[in-house]
Amino acid sequence: MKIGFIGLGNMGAPMAANLAKAGHEVRGFDVAGTVAEEVAEAASAREAATGCAALITMLPNGAILRHVADEIIPAMQPGSTLIDCSTVDVESARAVAAQAEDAGLQAVDAPVSGGIGGATAGTLTFMAGGSERAFNTALPLFEIMGRKTVHCGAPGAGQAAKICNNMLLGISMLGTCEAFALAEKLDLDWQKLFDVVSTSSGACWSVNTYCPAPGIGPSSPADNDYKPGFAAELMLKDLRLSQEAAEAVDAATPMGSRATELYQAFIKAGGEGRDFSAVLAALRGAG
């Protein structure tokens, strides 16, 4: 299949490379001039979109997605599929899907979970929104780039799922960091706390898989001086999206709101460029 790929950053480049390694003819473009292994370079987004059966975008925000959509949709051939893997606001996802469908294209919004490691290993989780037909067209590509794909519903449903998931993740990581910080003050050994919590009612991904305490549990950014697997500023972006969505539909998210404030304060105090689990270091007064 001829595939266009726009946005060859830390996530997009390995995703595009995995498609190319699987035998697809992939042509990519990034405004920063970055490239991906085995992926042909396009001179522009429009060139990447021309003649492809599927076009994948991985972009920073909804405003950029809308701008790129204005450029690429007219260049795409009717019947081809636009797959947006960015994490953006639900309104932008729905607007771009409608624009694509009006042009005779299929559209899927499919944000991902799994970070840079998952993008490289091809083990991402895709949360997809769009018609059944569009989803089934995109599914073989998701199966190359990821390990699990869930069709969440109509256009925008993928973004809704991602926003809800990451709001919960942000909240649970803050609670995990607070628990380990408190344990230290109470002279409770971190390993003992992990052994209890990881097999008890407090078990969650933030504890069992991505523990913020160095040397505890499976390897995580905490064991690498909190170099980001998922940067704190990206978590803040997703939390802000959750609060924008909550406000739009009048949903009560008091913990999501507080988590947004806490990550904003953490970044302002020097957390930018660190993993989102580095909140534990800040709570300990260790930076």
Side-chain angles (χ1 to χ4, degrees):
M1 182 185 293
K2 290 185 177 180
I3 302 170
F5 206 112
I6 298 172
L8 299 174
N10 290 333
M11 293 291 293
M15 290 166 67
N18 284 336
L19 290 170
K21 290 171 185 175
H24 293 292
E25 182 182 333
V26 186
R27 186 169 49 189
F29 174 76
D30 193 290
V31 290
T34 53
V35 296
E37 187 178 354
E38 298 185 29
V39 174
E41 292 182 58
S44 66
R46 186 179 181 86
E47 182 180 306
T50 302
C52 64
L55 178 68
I56 301 172
T57 52
M58 178 60 91
L59 302 167
N61 56 53
I64 292 174
L65 172 63
R66 289 177 187 246
H67 174 76
V68 171
D70 288 340
E71 181 179 358
I72 61 176
I73 287 175
M76 294 179 68
Q77 57 192 14
S80 58
T81 306
L82 175 59
I83 305 166
D84 178 46
C85 293
S86 320
T87 296
V88 302
D89 58 288
V90 175
E91 183 181 349
S92 290
R94 289 174 176 165
V96 169
Q99 183 180 356
E101 289 166 0
D102 287 346
L105 310 176
Q106 299 187 98
V108 181
D109 57 284
V112 305
S113 179
I116 297 169
T120 302
T123 58
L124 295 170
T125 293
F126 288 86
M127 296 148 266
S131 70
E132 194 75 34
R133 179 168 172 263
F135 172 76
N136 287 332
T137 300
L139 183 58
L141 303 184
F142 295 147
E143 290 175 338
I144 292 169
M145 297 183 288
R147 182 164 51 195
K148 183 175 179 63
T149 304
V150 178
H151 187 198
C152 298
Q159 296 297 344
K162 176 66 182 288
I163 288 169
C164 291
N165 179 80
N166 279 26
M167 182 180 74
L168 179 56
L169 173 60
I171 293 167
S172 71
M173 180 56 78
L174 289 171
T176 299
C177 290
E178 288 185 2
F180 276 90
L182 175 60
E184 185 175 44
K185 293 289 186 181
L186 295 173
D187 296 323
L188 174 61
D189 182 80
W190 275 350
Q191 184 62 53
K192 300 301 183 185
L193 176 64
F194 178 85
D195 291 345
V196 170
V197 174
S198 65
T199 56
S200 300
S201 55
C204 62
W205 188 86
S206 295
V207 173
N208 292 48
T209 303
Y210 208 87
C211 187
I216 306 298
S219 180
S220 72
D223 302 313
N224 192 28
D225 196 29
Y226 295 104
K227 289 183 173 62
F230 186 53
E233 52 267 36
L234 294 180
M235 173 53 75
L236 180 58
K237 169 196 167 184
D238 289 355
L239 285 167
R240 284 173 169 162
L241 288 174
S242 78
Q243 295 313 288
E244 290 171 9
E247 184 176 352
V249 297
D250 195 26
T253 56
M255 293 295 289
S257 175
R258 185 60 179 141
T260 304
E261 294 171 355
L262 289 170
Y263 271 103
Q264 185 171 325
F266 170 65
I267 290 167
K268 187 176 180 180
E272 185 172 358
R274 308 193 79 190
D275 191 78
F276 80 115
S277 63
V279 167
L280 175 57
L283 291 172
R284 299 175 67 206

